[in-house]
């Protein structure tokens, strides 16, 4: 691993630990931006479930809106905002997206609470729902189907990993004299580091 890329990941880990110590309500919450093939953007909050040198992982239904958009345009941007860390910190991550391997997805799904596992089967993510009762009925059917046995991972529910090409650390300062550091990786894996104007 390139030294500067390792430095960027270590900086993220340090800030991630500081977010826990600072009492951030959920340090794993991150904004996920995707876009359709023709460039129409959308944004939502998801939860970081793993991160390492390979990238940042979240889980979803591949048939939901974000899954469909990432299939058509496999690039994404992430934003972590931790206002309680120092004077405020943002971390921006941009890169290509790939599906995690089956074993990794299975292991994570098995670690989820049973109610969350059942919900993954009951939900037709992003489709129109006529009433809450319809979802409750689907949930009851799923509960009956898997009664007394482990709940397997749905075939179209999996993890997606954002492989960082850009990681920016933004540190708030008085008078909006913010400090910004950008790490960029090229196709060969070489990494650069530059300071940006506020």
């Amino acid at each position: 691993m390139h030294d500067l890329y390792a430095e960027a990941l270590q900086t993220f880990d340090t800030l991630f630990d500081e977010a826990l110590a600072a009492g951030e309500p959920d340090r794993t919450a991150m904004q996920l931006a995707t876009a359709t093939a023709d460039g129409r953007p959308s944004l939502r909050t998801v939860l970081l479930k793993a991160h390492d040198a390979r990238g940042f992982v979240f889980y979803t239904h591949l048939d939901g809106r974000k899954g469909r958009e990432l299939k058509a345009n496999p690039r994404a941007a992430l934003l972590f905002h931790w206002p309680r860390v120092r004077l405020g910190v943002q971390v921006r991550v941009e890169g290509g997206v790939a599906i995690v391997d089956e074993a990794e997805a299975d292991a994570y799904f098995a670690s989820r609470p049973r109610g969350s596992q059942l919900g993954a089967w009951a939900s037709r993510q992003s489709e129109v729902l006529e009433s809450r009762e319809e979802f409750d009925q689907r949930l009851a059917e799923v509960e009956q189907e898997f009664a007394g046995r482990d709940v397997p991972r749905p075939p179209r529910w999996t993890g997606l990993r954002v492989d960082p090409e850009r990681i920016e650390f933004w540190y708030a300062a008085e008078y909006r004299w913010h400090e910004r550091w950008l790490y960029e990786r090229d196709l060969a894996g070489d990494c650069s580091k530059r300071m940006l104007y506020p």
Side-chain angles (χ1 to χ4, degrees):
M1 186 187 340
H2 192 281
D3 288 348
L4 282 176
Y5 184 55
E7 177 181 295
L9 296 179
Q10 181 56 58
T11 300
F12 179 85
D13 285 341
T14 297
L15 294 170
F16 196 61
D17 289 345
E18 288 184 29
L20 179 64
E24 289 291 351
D26 189 346
R27 64 180 176 155
T28 70
M30 57 187 185
Q31 306 305 305
L32 167 68
T34 59
T36 59
D38 63 350
R40 292 175 185 265
S42 61
L43 182 70
R44 77 286 286 158
T45 301
V46 298
L47 301 180
L48 177 69
K49 293 301 181 181
H51 68 284
D52 57 24
R54 298 171 298 162
F56 297 77
V57 177
F58 63 94
Y59 285 82
T60 191
H61 279 278
L62 295 179
D63 296 327
R65 182 175 177 184
K66 58 185 169 294
R68 293 192 310 268
E69 289 178 352
L70 287 167
K71 181 179 180 182
N73 182 6
R75 306 190 59 72
L78 306 173
L79 172 66
F80 297 87
H81 180 215
W82 299 315
R84 298 180 182 185
V85 175
R86 304 180 190 188
L87 295 177
V89 171
Q90 294 182 58
V91 181
R92 298 173 59 194
V93 179
E94 300 171 19
V97 179
I99 295 174
V100 304
D101 66 43
E102 297 282 310
E104 185 174 352
D106 288 342
Y108 173 70
F109 189 80
S111 75
R112 302 181 86 209
R114 187 174 180 86
S116 298
Q117 294 174 340
L118 294 170
W121 278 95
S123 178
R124 294 175 174 156
Q125 194 174 74
S126 301
E127 291 186 20
V128 173
L129 180 62
E130 295 300 329
S131 68
R132 181 63 193 201
E133 290 74 25
E134 179 184 337
F135 178 73
D136 292 341
Q137 177 61 37
R138 286 185 55 79
L139 192 54
E141 291 167 2
V142 169
E143 286 179 310
Q144 184 176 1
E145 180 181 351
F146 295 113
R149 62 188 179 104
D150 290 341
V151 181
R153 178 174 61 89
R156 298 287 293 164
W157 189 98
T158 191
L160 294 166
R161 177 176 286 110
V162 180
D163 181 15
E165 294 164 8
R166 296 168 56 102
I167 303 177
E168 180 186 329
F169 299 98
W170 177 99
Y171 302 93
E174 289 186 301
Y175 311 115
R176 303 192 63 79
W177 297 348
H178 311 311
E179 183 176 333
R180 297 172 62 190
W181 289 96
L182 175 64
Y183 294 78
E184 284 190 287
R185 285 197 304 159
D186 61 23
L187 293 176
D190 292 327
C191 194
S192 64
K193 176 184 179 183
R194 298 189 301 279
M195 182 179 266
L196 305 177
Y197 272 97

